[in-house]
Amino acid sequence: MVASVEYNLKHMKRALALAGRARGKTSPNPMVGAVLVKSSKVIGCGYHKKAGDPHAEIEAIADAVKKGNKRLIKGADLFVTLEPCNHIGRTAPCTEAIIDAGIGRVIVGAKDPNPKVSGKGIRRLRRAGVKVTTGVLKEECTTLNEAYNKYIVSGRPFVTLKLAMSIDGKIALNSGGSNQPISSKESHAVVHKMRSLADCVMVGSGTAVADDPRLTVRCGINGGVNTKAPMRAVVDSRLRIKPTARIFKASNKGEVLVFTSPKAPKNRIKAIEATGAEVITLPALKKDGRVNLKRLMAELGRREVLSLMVEGGAEFSAGLLEEGLVDKVVFFIAPKIIGSGGLSAIGDRAVKTMSGMINIKNMRVEAIGCDIMVTGYICLQG
């Protein structure tokens, strides 16, 4: 009997919800949820909790056994948000466990872009006589692992640019002045949640010097769950940041990296390294002497950084956008006006033609306290 669309959607939504429980904890692995169903009854469920732990499919089978449903597994339907693996990595292949358990049908949300898996898991199951249905809630299952998907294909992190600005697009006063936050407390809570889910949080030298941020995750985020501390990083081509900066004083809360260029003075490098931070010297661009941002992304990828959250400043943000390195934007817009004395959110970047504009797609607008949060994806097609 062919399962109904409603049946497939219902249980895949449950698998997605399970996968989301591990948000921010599975890197460099994807988030995956799985649900075992027999005669319309859920007999087991699970999700991948962290790298090195059993995969979601294995967790669901084990859960069914634990609940006394072992005899029901044979011939059951397995809903899984991502294609089951068919290779030996940190754990054994999930396809073999599925086949050995006698599962009759596997419903897959999204194919795994990993060349070691892509399509091979599905083919292995079908060769073994397991019925496979693909593409159920494909878009949602793909978006769930947008950072993993980019990393596994390109070797570079998925970059989210977060900026807080006035309603006229300014992030601070040109004169410096007070570093009082523009956005609301509610927006700050959302930002800390975003940090807790990222592998790395990064700022440019302008923000590091002017605002002296810690870039840590405030206590109480994620409902009190003990989350990993994200890596924290500063891009500072001439190493203007001081060893007394607050980011170094909280160095026990996540690794601290400082990316600089060959122009950085040797004595400043030693002073920063003495704080416990790691200084990485990367090639500079000939046109302006700034760190080569594409090389920066490659280095982060080498360190298995899948998701990078950038929190400014203006020139650093402009550089990332000009190089086509931003995937997603999150703008917090406060109901305030700064005027001509303010610093533009994207620095001095200017376009000469309408075709030079950077377009945003799949935009979502939400009210966060008294602010507006605008989320969207960079449209590479223009």
Side-chain angles (χ1 to χ4, degrees):
M1 180 179 178
V2 178
S4 68
V5 172
E6 291 78 14
Y7 171 82
N8 285 346
L9 294 179
K10 174 184 176 181
H11 294 297
M12 189 60 76
K13 285 179 181 178
R14 181 162 185 167
L16 273 166
L18 286 165
R21 292 183 183 180
R23 195 176 294 276
K25 302 173 185 176
T26 62
S27 185
N29 287 357
M31 291 173 278
V32 186
V35 178
L36 263 174
V37 183
K38 184 67 170 290
S39 302
S40 297
K41 175 188 174 183
V42 174
I43 62 172
C45 56
Y47 63 98
H48 181 50
K49 296 179 176 64
K50 64 179 181 179
D53 276 11
H55 288 185
E57 301 92 324
I58 309 303
E59 290 278 10
I61 293 170
D63 185 53
V65 173
K66 182 179 178 181
K67 290 177 177 176
N69 295 324
K70 183 176 181 179
R71 62 182 180 81
L72 298 176
I73 296 175
K74 188 173 183 179
D77 292 343
L78 174 66
F79 290 82
V80 60
T81 55
L82 189 69
E83 176 182 4
C85 65
N86 189 45
H87 68 287
I88 298 175
R90 288 183 171 94
T91 61
C94 291
T95 51
E96 299 309 311
I98 291 169
I99 294 166
D100 292 344
I103 290 170
R105 177 170 171 258
V106 176
I107 301 89
V108 176
K111 289 185 178 180
D112 192 334
N114 188 339
K116 294 180 180 179
V117 182
S118 188
K120 296 175 183 176
I122 292 171
R123 287 196 294 273
R124 174 69 184 99
L125 292 172
R126 284 175 172 161
R127 284 200 303 268
V130 179
K131 296 178 181 178
V132 180
T133 300
T134 62
V136 176
L137 292 181
K138 178 182 177 181
E139 184 175 346
E140 291 88 338
C141 291
T142 300
T143 301
L144 174 73
N145 285 307
E146 58 190 9
Y148 167 81
N149 293 338
K150 180 185 178 182
Y151 171 80
I152 208 69
V153 171
S154 69
R156 300 187 311 194
F158 182 92
V159 180
T160 298
L161 174 61
K162 167 264 165 183
L163 291 172
M165 65 188 74
S166 63
I167 202 167
D168 58 340
K170 305 300 169 59
I171 59 173
L173 299 176
N174 281 329
S175 58
S178 172
N179 63 354
Q180 181 179 351
I182 290 177
S183 53
S184 66
K185 291 181 179 179
E186 292 86 352
S187 292
H188 295 166
V190 174
V191 171
H192 280 274
K193 176 67 177 292
M194 291 172 62
R195 287 181 183 176
S196 76
L197 301 178
D199 290 333
C200 181
V201 182
M202 177 179 284
V203 294
S205 59
T207 296
V209 172
D211 296 348
D212 195 18
R214 291 188 181 91
L215 300 183
T216 51
V217 178
R218 187 169 59 218
C219 296
I221 297 300
N222 268 3
V225 175
N226 182 25
T227 59
K228 64 176 178 61
M231 186 183 295
R232 292 170 293 137
V234 176
V235 180
D236 189 347
S237 299
R238 296 183 181 273
L239 221 53
R240 295 191 296 143
I241 191 170
K242 296 179 179 179
T244 55
R246 295 195 300 175
I247 191 171
F248 303 124
K249 294 179 181 179
S251 60
N252 62 317
K253 296 181 179 178
E255 184 179 359
V256 178
L257 305 178
V258 179
F259 293 94
T260 192
S261 74
K263 292 185 178 294
K266 296 291 190 296
N267 63 321
R268 293 186 186 178
I269 291 177
K270 290 182 179 179
I272 297 299
E273 289 178 334
T275 69
E278 182 180 358
V279 179
I280 301 101
T281 302
L282 295 175
L285 297 174
K286 291 182 179 180
K287 63 179 180 179
D288 56 17
R290 295 182 180 180
V291 167
N292 185 315
L293 297 179
K294 290 183 178 178
R295 289 290 296 272
L296 168 63
M297 294 302 159
E299 175 62 21
L300 288 173
R302 189 182 69 79
R303 293 168 181 261
E304 292 190 327
V305 171
L306 275 62
S307 56
L308 172 65
M309 178 181 173
V310 175
E311 298 196 38
E315 296 305 321
F316 183 42
S317 300
L320 289 168
L321 287 165
E322 286 175 343
E323 292 289 337
L325 297 174
V326 177
D327 299 288
K328 185 177 183 179
V329 295
V330 180
F331 290 169
F332 293 89
I333 304 173
K336 301 173 183 177
I337 298 173
I338 293 180
S340 60
L343 177 65
S344 172
I346 311 296
D348 297 327
R349 186 185 190 280
V351 296
K352 297 180 180 179
T353 63
M354 295 295 282
S355 62
M357 292 189 300
I358 296 173
N359 294 322
I360 308 298
K361 64 180 181 179
N362 299 337
M363 195 170 71
R364 188 175 75 250
V365 179
E366 300 175 57
I368 306 293
C370 62
D371 301 333
I372 295 173
M373 183 175 75
V374 180
T375 304
Y377 294 83
I378 298 295
C379 183
L380 299 179
Q381 304 304 318

